Amino acid sequence: GAGVSQSPSNKVTEKGKDVELRCDPISGHTALYWYRQSLGQGLEFLIYFQGNSAPDKSGLPSDRFSAERTGGSVSTLTIQRTQQEDSAVYLCASSLAGLGRGYADTQYFGPGTRLTVL
Amino acid sequence: GNSVTQMEGPVTLSEEAFLTINCTYTATGYPSLFWYVQYPGEGLQLLLKATKADDKGSNKGFEATYRKETTSFHLEKGSVQVSDSAVYFCALRRGDSSYKLIFGSGTRLLVRP
């Protein structure tokens, strides 16, 4: 079946512009996660959705970052007034359920969006 | 706090060599442990996992055993192939119903023919 998909695969933008990154999770997966993979910081958790609500936004690096999820499916990560340090690969993952399903709920990752801020 | 430490790469091996990539962790409670692999140009894929002490995860000839006494989850393969060239990430998920994966820095493996 279809895996997690993300778009665009690559995004080049100028400093100060806003960008939107999209994630389509695996059908039926209620939990959705955003991570960031950068040279300096490795793989970092950003935000977690259970359904349409985000009980944990603790990983968002600044208030320029926001995310939403609609219809319990597609999620959009928005970065406002991008800075060069935002350059990274943004990874989305989904799992059948988040909390309450035990300790082995596997997260499936998408191919990522490579963001370059000039 | 919770953290994962992996051996630095790159690790360069000849085909059919034995592979070990070390991973140790620090965590409260009883975490679940994972190895993810990222092939060139592709996304992260789950390679194997273990959810409690002494569990052995295995897949595609790779194995890792959850060792609570040494807080380790080393990845091993008896005979690597060129197609195993990738970046390998060790990760943990805390055992208190947490969902957040905490990753190590990744180890690049290069297998030469």
Side-chain angles (χ1 to χ4, degrees), chain A residues 33 35 37 43 45 48 55-56 58 91 98-100 102-111, chain B residues 30 32 34 36 38 42-44 46 49 51 89 93-101 103-104:
Chain A
Y33 316 80
Y35 291 84
Q37 186 176 21
L43 267 158
F45 167 83
Y48 156 66
D56 187 351
S58 63
L91 296 170
L99 291 173
Y103 307 145
D105 192 38
T106 300
Q107 295 180 23
Y108 297 90
F109 283 80
Chain B
Y30 301 93
S32 294
F34 305 82
Y36 279 83
Q38 188 172 35
E42 298 184 17
L44 281 170
L46 178 66
K49 64 186 180 187
T51 58
F89 292 90
R93 198 173 95 164
R94 282 177 15 215
D96 57 350
S97 294
S98 181
Y99 42 77
K100 185 188 307 185
L101 285 171
F103 288 90

Side-chain angles (χ1 to χ4, degrees), chain B residues 40-99:
Chain B
E42 298 184 17
L44 281 170
Q45 300 176 25
L46 178 66
L47 182 59
L48 53 83
K49 64 186 180 187
T51 58
K52 59 183 188 297
D54 300 325
D55 268 2
K56 178 186 283 188
S58 61
N59 186 25
K60 299 182 181 179
F62 290 89
E63 292 183 340
T65 301
Y66 188 147
R67 300 284 188 203
K68 193 169 188 303
E69 64 276 12
T70 54
T71 61
S72 65
F73 192 55
H74 304 323
L75 183 68
E76 296 182 336
K77 186 175 186 183
S79 176
V80 293
Q81 305 300 312
V82 172
S83 57
D84 294 326
S85 297
V87 181
Y88 292 81
F89 292 90
C90 186
L92 72 81
R93 198 173 95 164
R94 282 177 15 215
D96 57 350
S97 294
S98 181
Y99 42 77

Side-chain angles (χ1 to χ4, degrees), chain A residues 2-118:
Chain A
V4 177
S5 60
Q6 293 186 246
S7 61
S9 54
N10 278 285
K11 176 72 177 178
V12 180
T13 190
E14 293 179 349
K15 179 180 170 181
K17 301 280 191 184
D18 297 353
V19 295
E20 283 190 353
L21 312 179
R22 178 189 166 106
C23 172
D24 262 291
I26 293 172
S27 178
H29 280 195
T30 63
L32 186 146
Y33 316 80
W34 284 96
Y35 291 84
R36 178 169 73 171
Q37 186 176 21
S38 57
L39 278 177
Q41 301 296 324
L43 267 158
E44 308 169 273
F45 167 83
L46 297 178
I47 188 170
Y48 156 66
F49 284 92
Q50 181 61 51
N52 290 336
S53 65
D56 187 351
K57 305 179 184 179
S58 63
L60 294 177
S62 76
D63 58 8
R64 295 185 295 104
F65 287 71
S66 62
E68 64 175 14
R69 189 179 184 197
T70 55
S73 181
V74 171
S75 176
T76 303
L77 177 69
T78 301
I79 309 173
Q80 294 179 309
R81 305 180 303 280
T82 51
Q83 304 294 312
Q84 288 181 332
E85 62 263 28
D86 299 335
S87 296
V89 176
Y90 288 83
L91 296 170
C92 177
S94 71
S95 66
L96 194 58
L99 291 173
R101 280 279 297 190
Y103 307 145
D105 192 38
T106 300
Q107 295 180 23
Y108 297 90
F109 283 80
T113 293
R114 181 175 297 279
L115 174 65
T116 303
V117 182
L118 301 177

